[in-house]
Amino acid sequence: MMGNMRKIIILIGVSLLILFSCYIVFDDSSLTREEKEYLKHKKEIVFVSQINYPPFEFLSDRLESSGMMVELARLMSTEFGFESRFINTTFARAQQMILNGEADVLTSFFFSEERNKKFNFTKVVFEIPASIFVKQDNDDIKKLSDLHGKRVAIQKGDYAIDFIKSKGIRIDLIETDDFIMATNKLIKGEVEAVIGDDQIIFYYLSRNNLVSELKVVGEPLYIGENCMATRKSEKILVSILNKGINLAKKKGYLDSINRKWIGERVTFAKYMKKFFGLMLIPLSILLLIVFVFWIWNLNLRKRVEERTKQLSEKNKELALNNSKLNAILSASPDGIGVMNMNMELVFISDKLAKMYKIEPEKKFEYLNKNITDFVDESYRDKMMKNISDIFEGKKYWNLSEYLVRDAYGEQFWVEVSSSLLYDDAQKPYGILFVERDCTERKRIEQQLLDYNEKLKENNRALNELKTKEEEANIAKSNFLAIISHELRTPLNGVLGLLELIHKDPERFNEFFPVILSSGEQLRVLINDISDLTKVEQGKLELVEKRFSISNFINEIVSYAKIKIQDSNLELVVDIEQFEGYLEGDAVRLRQVVYNLINNAIKYTDNGFVKVVIRKLFENDKIMRIYFEVTDTGIGISPNDIDNIFKPFKRLDGSYTKKRYGSGIGLYISKAILNMMNSNINVESEVGKGSKFYFKLDLKRSIPDSEIKEEISDEIFNLKALVVDDNKINLFVAENMLAKLGVAVDFAENGMVAIEKVSNNHYDFIMMDLQMPEMDGLEATRRILDMGKDVKIFAMTANVYKDDIQKALNAGMVDFCPKPFTLSFLKSLLSRHFK
Ligand code: ADP
């Protein structure tokens, strides 16, 4: 506002200065060099005036040239500094003097077009209005038309007579020699009005104190133009005279001349003239100011337009730069942002917004938000610490990983590099940060860590496996060493004694029991190895059958009694009375208890072996039985307790080594009991003895009359074919079957068997499964395809479920696991041929 005011004041000042300068530069009253030269060469200017034309010009009483025009001429002479001479003569002579060069200037000469042809006129010096004069008390005549029919006096030959005629007004005209005579006639009342030049009549009235007698009415009829004149050729002189007139006007000389000669009588026209004269300068100033304002306004508008154009171009440029900058920022694979010193966001690039799932149109809602609002609480402290480090100048640049949250609160990982921003005065004003989504790097990193962990685990497992394998290898070596040793002992017994019998048949009865027991040892060993393999392969199976619990316990007691016979030990039996039938694998259970009794006897030198069997619980569904075998033997140290259940683990010590054993028994026993949902327990003290015990739930079976466990000796009149590639097996089978009254034929493989079957009739065939040429399954299928009515039993060392299934599928009807006993053969034959 103040600025505008100041501008306006300066503008007005400048305008005034310009105006003043114009006034000086366009001075219409100073002489040019040419005009000055003219006056210099002209010795004097001769002015010629009329003798009696007051107040404009006349010869005074003292015979001096006087009057308004003469005074003006004298003034010019003084102002411009030229010599002048004044002559007074008649009007006609005066004109003549100008035209013939006797005088230079006609001082008072009314302008007319006619005169202008011969003379050169100056500008108008005085305007002489011609008015209607009436007596002061005359109210009839107020305007020109009121003169109609009135007596009016006018100077002879005056233009007023023609003017009134031209207006169509008919007056009673009284012509006089001059205006003074006409005026006197009016004063005397001889006429009603006078029409004449204002200045001349007023001059006369004022000189004679008659001004109050008359008045002017209406508007002036016309205005005469009183000028100076020269010869037609005097152009420079007219220009000098004009400047003299200007100077007289400007300096107020003309006004004072007027006042001096005519007095203050100002007509309306004069008023106007004066008013405009007075107002000319302020009006000019005002107009100039308006003009200057207008120009200034135009200029301002132009400048505003130019500025607007510039700004719009600047804006375009800025928009272009902005879009370029955005394009650059968008091209960056990272999100870019700026925060101020209050940690408020002040810039978010499109990429950054996208990373945080901020919709582009909502981007501005996120400005001014605190940067820590976006980081997960768990990382807020870390971020605050890093930012304050940068602000405090401890770090100029920083790279960190943060867990952050997007606009929907979803977590993701970012890697952020940030640095301090400085303004032109090197004052920090914020932080620029560049973010990269590293969730996928992080994920891979985690995967790698997991993978690494898995690798380690696998390595551990591999190492364990390796250790186990090594252990297994050692165990296998031990096993082979033990087996070969254990086999050799009874084999030596059998073969050695058979050789002796062969040489000395008389000693058969003496050696036979030893041979039998050695054979029995071999059978047990082979059974154990077979069981061990089954346990190792997870193929040990329980065969649940109905059995008499009292018979079962009786068998155990008998077995213990027989076993203990060869030792110095006492057998203590603490067994309850049992009744009824149970469902379970009596064979396997018996194997466990026999093993415990064997061990007790084997590892005890003195004292007793006690067998305890008690009923712990019984209802109509189950019977819980407690088994215990206690001895007063060598005992087992606490460190060894776990080892005794491992395969082939036999405790160190010469004592153990003296006893026959494979180190498999307890391993198998434990496995069997585990399958029966039981567990074997040991309490032992070295040198005092051991107690092995377990409890077992067995299903109760429907009560029944006695079941014959043993089959009485019987003779079967049957004919059999035994198919086996092993001659010893054939020999054993032949002898056992012969004991049961069965006639036996042999075949060493499947092909031979088929041939024999096609030529002979057999009631049953005992078929080995694994044979060269043709195996047992194939031979069975072919024999049955021949339509032969024959029962085929599988002879096999491994009776696994899938072997059974294969055999049944081939058409076999039962099994004969090797090695078999006489009683097994008996029960097999009675099952199929009774
Ligand atoms: P084996 O008796 O054939 O060696 P076992 O598996 O039955 O194999 O027993 C493993 C080991 O446990 C034996 O070698 C022996 O060292 C120890 N052992 C078993 N029973 C007894 C016992 N009643 N008293 C002392 N030591 C025993």
Side-chain angles (χ1 to χ4, degrees):
M1 194 67 185
M2 282 309 289
N4 281 346
M5 254 335 258
R6 204 169 58 193
K7 275 181 191 166
I8 290 167
I9 290 165
I10 291 170
L11 215 81
I12 292 171
V14 169
S15 311
L16 288 172
L17 206 70
I18 291 168
L19 203 70
F20 182 68
S21 310
C22 289
Y23 182 74
I24 291 169
V25 171
F26 300 107
D27 186 3
D28 56 356
S29 57
S30 46
L31 300 180
T32 63
R33 194 194 292 167
E34 194 188 12
E35 287 160 352
K36 283 177 185 166
E37 281 295 308
Y38 173 89
L39 290 175
K40 211 173 161 187
H41 288 290
K42 192 99 176 158
K43 279 187 182 157
E44 57 174 10
I45 306 286
V46 179
F47 291 90
V48 62
S49 309
Q50 296 172 64
I51 296 164
N52 190 20
Y53 190 55
F56 295 109
E57 52 189 17
F58 58 94
L59 198 63
S60 72
D61 298 342
R62 284 182 283 173
L63 299 175
E64 277 177 358
S65 274
S66 304
M68 292 164 79
M69 295 305 264
V70 175
E71 273 189 28
L72 176 62
R74 289 190 201 283
L75 203 103
M76 285 182 198
S77 165
T78 313
E79 286 289 332
F80 294 140
F82 60 81
E83 292 295 322
S84 56
R85 187 157 56 89
F86 291 86
I87 303 163
N88 281 78
T89 184
T90 63
F91 186 47
R93 172 71 188 139
Q95 288 174 43
Q96 196 57 48
M97 283 178 82
I98 295 297
L99 291 175
N100 62 27
E102 286 174 71
D104 298 305
V105 181
L106 199 58
T107 51
S108 178
F109 202 41
F110 274 53
F111 177 86
S112 80
E113 290 302 329
E114 260 319 297
R115 290 173 181 171
N116 195 38
K117 286 173 188 164
K118 290 186 192 166
F119 298 90
N120 207 355
F121 282 84
T122 65
K123 54 168 60 180
V124 178
V125 180
F126 291 111
E127 286 178 336
I128 315 291
S131 299
I132 304 165
F133 290 81
V134 292
K135 284 201 118 179
Q136 203 57 259
D137 54 358
N138 186 332
D139 292 331
D140 295 341
I141 301 163
K142 288 182 173 121
K143 53 185 187 296
L144 181 65
S145 56
D146 293 341
L147 291 178
H148 199 77
K150 300 281 179 338
R151 280 171 69 87
V152 180
I154 302 174
Q155 179 183 269
K156 201 186 281 173
D158 197 276
Y159 175 70
I161 300 166
D162 298 334
F163 180 80
I164 286 174
K165 272 187 193 162
S166 73
K167 295 286 172 186
I169 297 164
R170 292 161 67 99
I171 53 164
D172 184 3
L173 175 66
I174 309 294
E175 288 183 290
T176 60
D177 287 339
D178 53 41
F179 286 113
I180 289 132
M181 284 172 73
T183 307
N184 284 334
K185 279 191 181 293
L186 181 61
I187 291 165
K188 287 176 188 166
E190 291 171 13
V191 292
E192 287 168 281
V194 167
I195 294 173
D197 295 341
D198 281 13
Q199 279 90 336
I200 294 164
I201 293 173
F202 272 111
Y203 177 73
Y204 172 73
L205 290 175
S206 62
R207 293 293 293 263
N208 296 288
N209 290 323
L210 293 168
V211 174
S212 57
E213 292 286 320
L214 302 181
K215 66 179 179 186
V216 171
V217 293
E219 290 299 309
L221 305 185
Y222 52 87
I223 293 173
E225 293 172 336
N226 196 6
C227 310
M228 292 185 178
T230 64
R231 280 183 299 280
K232 202 69 193 163
S233 56
E234 290 281 12
K235 283 200 175 100
I236 295 175
L237 182 58
V238 167
S239 168
I240 292 166
L241 293 173
N242 275 336
K243 286 185 178 173
I245 296 162
N246 288 343
L247 190 73
K249 279 185 182 170
K250 205 190 277 179
K251 292 198 170 179
Y253 296 146
L254 274 191
D255 277 349
S256 47
I257 290 169
N258 224 9
R259 266 198 306 277
K260 178 183 168 188
W261 292 95
I262 302 170
E264 202 66 55
R265 184 209 166 248
V266 183
T267 60
F268 174 74
K270 262 193 173 171
Y271 259 127
M272 290 306 285
K273 236 174 137 183
K274 197 168 185 181
F275 173 76
F276 279 113
L278 284 172
M279 291 305 285
L280 191 65
I281 290 176
L283 272 177
S284 304
I285 291 170
L286 197 73
L287 271 173
L288 194 80
I289 289 171
V290 169
F291 176 74
V292 166
F293 264 104
W294 181 67
I295 294 285
W296 180 61
N297 196 30
L298 270 184
N299 193 33
L300 204 69
R301 193 178 295 172
K302 205 175 155 195
R303 276 171 60 195
V304 165
E305 276 172 10
E306 266 174 23
R307 191 86 187 115
T308 310
K309 204 175 153 193
Q310 274 177 3
L311 277 174
S312 95
E313 266 165 24
K314 199 91 187 159
N315 271 350
K316 271 186 210 163
E317 199 180 317
L318 272 175
L320 191 73
N321 283 346
N322 206 27
S323 69
K324 270 184 191 168
L325 187 70
N326 257 340
I328 291 166
L329 294 178
S330 303
S332 160
D334 305 321
I336 297 171
V338 176
M339 72 174 96
N340 62 18
M341 299 300 276
N342 295 328
M343 296 200 290
E344 291 160 347
L345 278 172
V346 292
F347 173 77
I348 303 172
S349 79
D350 290 351
K351 270 270 157 58
L352 189 67
K354 203 173 167 189
M355 271 168 67
Y356 280 81
K357 296 199 176 68
I358 294 171
E359 289 163 32
E361 61 272 18
K362 289 193 178 166
K363 204 165 90 170
F364 297 98
E365 290 176 19
Y366 288 83
L367 291 177
N368 292 333
K369 286 211 170 189
N370 199 292
I371 187 84
T372 53
D373 289 353
F374 296 88
V375 74
D376 190 80
E377 295 86 54
S378 54
Y379 275 78
R380 207 159 278 173
D381 289 347
K382 179 184 172 182
M383 182 178 268
M384 297 281 277
K385 170 88 175 60
N386 281 333
I387 290 174
S388 71
D389 278 357
I390 294 177
F391 279 158
E392 286 166 20
K394 287 187 193 164
K395 286 178 189 167
Y396 292 99
W397 188 83
N398 177 295
L399 179 67
S400 306
E401 274 181 3
Y402 300 106
L403 184 63
V404 293
R405 285 174 185 277
D406 65 19
Y408 299 93
E410 287 290 319
Q411 291 180 329
F412 65 105
W413 284 93
V414 287
E415 189 184 76
V416 182
S417 43
S418 34
S419 60
L420 206 55
L421 291 171
Y422 296 92
D423 61 15
D424 292 343
Q426 291 306 304
K427 200 174 151 217
Y429 68 90
I431 288 180
L432 172 86
F433 55 93
V434 180
E435 292 197 13
R436 185 170 289 185
D437 186 337
C438 63
T439 311
E440 189 60 20
R441 278 177 47 198
K442 273 276 168 189
R443 198 178 61 76
I444 290 170
E445 191 181 300
Q446 193 53 48
Q447 271 183 356
L448 280 174
L449 283 175
D450 290 351
Y451 186 68
N452 203 22
E453 203 48 49
K454 263 194 189 141
L455 268 182
K456 276 187 193 164
E457 221 168 78
N458 282 355
N459 269 347
R460 268 198 297 275
L462 269 176
N463 280 338
E464 254 173 46
L465 216 67
K466 205 176 152 195
T467 317
K468 270 189 185 160
E469 202 183 326
E470 278 166 7
E471 278 176 5
N473 267 337
I474 294 167
K476 204 167 82 183
S477 309
N478 286 345
F479 168 76
L480 290 173
I482 292 164
I483 294 302
S484 57
H485 174 258
E486 298 307 325
L487 281 174
R488 207 170 286 132
T489 317
L491 261 181
N492 277 344
V494 174
L495 296 175
L497 290 174
L498 283 176
E499 201 180 342
L500 286 175
I501 290 170
H502 183 65
K503 284 178 184 166
D504 188 359
E506 299 291 310
R507 297 184 71 181
F508 176 81
N509 284 339
E510 184 191 338
F511 295 143
F512 180 73
V514 184
I515 292 171
L516 204 63
S517 88
S518 297
E520 179 62 17
Q521 271 183 28
L522 279 175
R523 195 178 66 85
V524 168
L525 182 65
I526 286 162
N527 276 345
D528 278 354
I529 291 167
S530 164
D531 286 348
L532 175 82
T533 319
K534 284 177 188 169
V535 170
E536 295 273 281
Q537 295 177 353
K539 287 183 174 174
L540 186 76
E541 286 159 10
L542 296 178
V543 182
E544 295 201 346
K545 279 187 183 164
R546 190 168 181 271
F547 67 95
S548 156
I549 181 66
S550 55
N551 283 358
F552 177 80
I553 287 167
N554 286 342
E555 268 179 12
I556 287 170
V557 175
S558 306
Y559 181 81
K561 279 181 182 166
I562 293 164
K563 275 282 167 183
I564 212 155
Q565 273 176 9
D566 299 333
S567 69
N568 327 318
L569 305 172
E570 186 192 343
L571 177 70
V572 181
V573 176
D574 176 359
I575 293 175
E576 265 183 60
Q577 190 67 35
F578 280 90
E579 277 179 3
Y581 289 83
L582 299 173
E583 291 283 341
D585 195 333
V587 178
R588 290 296 183 189
L589 183 59
R590 190 187 293 134
Q591 185 181 341
V592 173
V593 181
Y594 281 8
N595 189 38
L596 295 180
I597 292 170
N598 282 339
N599 282 350
I601 295 168
K602 199 156 51 169
Y603 301 109
T604 309
D605 277 342
N606 300 301
F608 61 85
V609 167
K610 184 164 88 176
V611 178
V612 181
I613 303 175
R614 285 208 193 99
K615 199 194 292 173
L616 292 179
F617 170 81
E618 179 184 30
N619 62 18
D620 56 346
K621 293 228 170 76
I622 61 150
M623 187 182 282
R624 185 169 298 156
I625 306 169
Y626 173 79
F627 293 88
E628 178 193 310
V629 179
T630 307
D631 63 61
T632 52
I634 55 171
I636 305 153
S637 74
N639 290 343
D640 287 330
I641 292 279
D642 287 338
N643 286 332
I644 59 174
F645 294 102
K646 291 177 182 166
F648 305 113
K649 265 278 185 219
R650 302 199 71 212
L651 300 183
D652 286 343
S654 55
Y655 189 91
T656 309
K657 293 213 171 110
K658 278 187 218 156
R659 265 81 184 158
Y660 167 77
S662 60
I664 306 171
L666 281 180
Y667 174 71
I668 294 165
S669 298
K670 188 177 165 73
I672 291 170
L673 283 179
N674 284 349
M675 287 181 80
M676 292 177 173
N677 295 321
S678 178
N679 198 17
I680 195 159
N681 302 289
V682 194
E683 287 172 17
S684 184
E685 207 177 318
V686 176
K688 286 203 169 169
S690 313
K691 179 166 102 177
F692 288 80
Y693 61 96
F694 62 92
K695 54 192 177 190
L696 185 70
D697 283 350
L698 287 163
K699 278 181 268 175
R700 291 190 68 116
S701 185
I702 325 136
D704 202 349
S705 52
E706 287 290 310
I707 277 189
K708 268 191 185 168
E709 290 270 305
E710 292 290 323
I711 302 161
S712 54
D713 280 357
E714 248 179 296
I715 296 297
F716 297 89
N717 278 317
L718 298 168
K719 191 173 178 194
L721 175 68
V722 179
V723 190
D724 200 320
D725 58 330
N726 187 306
K727 292 221 165 60
I728 296 167
N729 282 347
L730 286 177
F731 180 72
V732 172
E734 188 200 2
N735 283 299
M736 283 196 179
L737 288 171
K739 272 215 159 225
L740 297 170
V742 178
V744 182
D745 205 350
F746 307 106
E748 62 268 27
N749 62 48
M751 294 296 281
V752 179
I754 289 165
E755 199 187 312
K756 292 220 165 174
V757 169
S758 56
N759 298 324
N760 302 288
H761 167 77
Y762 301 106
D763 295 300
F764 64 94
I765 303 170
M766 291 177 69
M767 180 79 80
D768 186 21
L769 290 181
Q770 286 171 329
M771 289 180 296
E773 302 273 332
M774 185 189 287
D775 71 13
L777 296 174
E778 183 60 28
T780 302
R781 275 192 287 269
R782 292 212 186 170
I783 290 164
L784 294 175
D785 282 351
M786 285 156 65
K788 292 285 175 182
D789 177 24
V790 60
K791 286 182 174 157
I792 306 176
F793 306 135
M795 276 199 300
T796 176
N798 306 316
V799 191
Y800 300 125
K801 262 193 183 150
D802 48 341
D803 291 327
I804 293 171
Q805 200 52 50
K806 279 182 198 162
L808 292 175
N809 287 348
M812 295 179 163
V813 292
D814 215 327
F815 293 88
C816 192
K818 287 196 280 192
F820 43 81
T821 57
L822 193 60
S823 64
F824 181 88
L825 276 180
K826 254 194 234 173
S827 63
L828 178 79
L829 293 181
S830 37
R831 269 207 300 278
H832 290 281
F833 297 102
K834 278 265 165 147

